[in-house]
Amino acid sequence: MRKILLATAATTCLTLTACNPGGGGSGNKPSASQPAGGQPSTATPAATPASTPGDGSATPGSDPGAGQAALALGVPSRTVGTKLVGILEITPTTVVYTKEGDGTTSRFGTFAVITTKDASLTANAADEEPASANGTKGGWRWIAANGQSVAEGNGTAYKVLVTGYSGVGKIEPGTYQMRSEVFDLTPEQAKGGGTLVYTDATKSENRWTIPPVDSGPQVADVKKRLAS
């Protein structure tokens, strides 16, 4: 009888402990989803940036991949080719900021011109994923410091051709092409540099941090070609 009573008491104690919010060895710490003291969070949601004026090609709002690590300018990244054929190694090499280029004036204030070296690494010819309307389903986009996303060729950027950096089409095995991506940015979007994002055929992203000033080994060459 004594053993039965002791067992019953122990069971009751365990039940009460489990029901107690401070039980289970939690030390009465607040949960991750509830601030201390049980009060609602007073954090102010981040403001949503305004869309780019003019053509609506920029996507307002926070960058969904902001937590992903970005490579430095000049560091290569391997990615699958369009239609899942071949492997590309993409290396952003140079960035140039200019108000005018190839006889075209920026609609929003600044062109960010970025050159890349695309190399085919497998036995199959490979190509970049075609650009989508906002760059999130394929192709290139610029993520500003405020999180706003701008697709390649927006504004008047599509009119800018950088001779010598205009490779297109499939890249044959063991060869490479020099290409360029041009973005038409507002002063706010260009301020502080940005993040260059390429989305491949699997919807995976490759990211690079782009400096806020002209950088890279082809700066002088790109400026010369843009002025001609």
Side-chain angles (χ1 to χ4, degrees):
M1 178 63 73
R2 178 179 175 82
K3 291 182 179 180
I4 294 174
L5 290 174
L6 287 174
T8 301
T11 301
T12 302
C13 180
L14 289 172
T15 302
L16 290 174
T17 301
C19 294
N20 190 330
S26 67
N28 291 318
K29 295 180 181 179
S31 67
S33 61
Q34 179 67 31
Q39 297 300 317
S41 172
T42 57
T44 302
T48 301
S51 60
T52 300
D55 65 354
S57 62
T59 303
S62 299
D63 173 20
Q68 298 180 18
L71 301 173
L73 182 71
V75 177
S77 181
R78 294 185 179 185
T79 182
V80 66
T82 185
K83 297 183 180 179
L84 307 179
V85 176
I87 297 295
L88 286 176
E89 181 178 77
I90 299 178
T91 309
T93 60
T94 294
V95 59
V96 169
Y97 297 93
T98 181
K99 183 178 180 179
E100 296 181 345
D102 191 30
T104 301
T105 300
S106 166
R107 178 185 297 179
F108 303 131
T110 302
F111 289 130
V113 181
I114 300 171
T115 63
T116 62
K117 177 182 178 181
D118 288 14
S120 178
L121 302 183
T122 60
N124 297 311
D127 196 4
E128 289 183 1
E129 186 70 7
S132 59
N134 59 11
T136 58
K137 294 182 179 180
W140 295 93
R141 56 196 168 103
W142 171 279
I143 306 296
N146 64 4
Q148 192 171 32
S149 176
V150 181
E152 173 193 8
N154 71 308
T156 53
Y158 71 95
K159 297 181 179 180
V160 179
L161 176 67
V162 188
T163 304
Y165 301 86
S166 54
V168 294
K170 291 183 179 181
I171 304 171
E172 295 302 319
T175 66
Y176 70 88
Q177 291 181 1
M178 296 302 298
R179 299 187 175 191
S180 59
E181 292 72 45
V182 185
F183 303 90
D184 196 344
L185 307 175
T186 66
E188 183 66 23
Q189 291 166 343
K191 183 179 179 181
T195 301
L196 179 68
V197 181
Y198 171 73
T199 304
D200 68 16
T202 68
K203 303 302 183 290
S204 296
E205 292 183 350
N206 300 265
R207 291 174 167 245
W208 294 266
T209 298
I210 304 302
V213 295
D214 295 350
S215 305
Q218 290 107 7
V219 167
D221 186 48
V222 171
K223 286 185 175 181
K224 180 180 178 180
R225 292 173 186 271
L226 287 172
S228 62

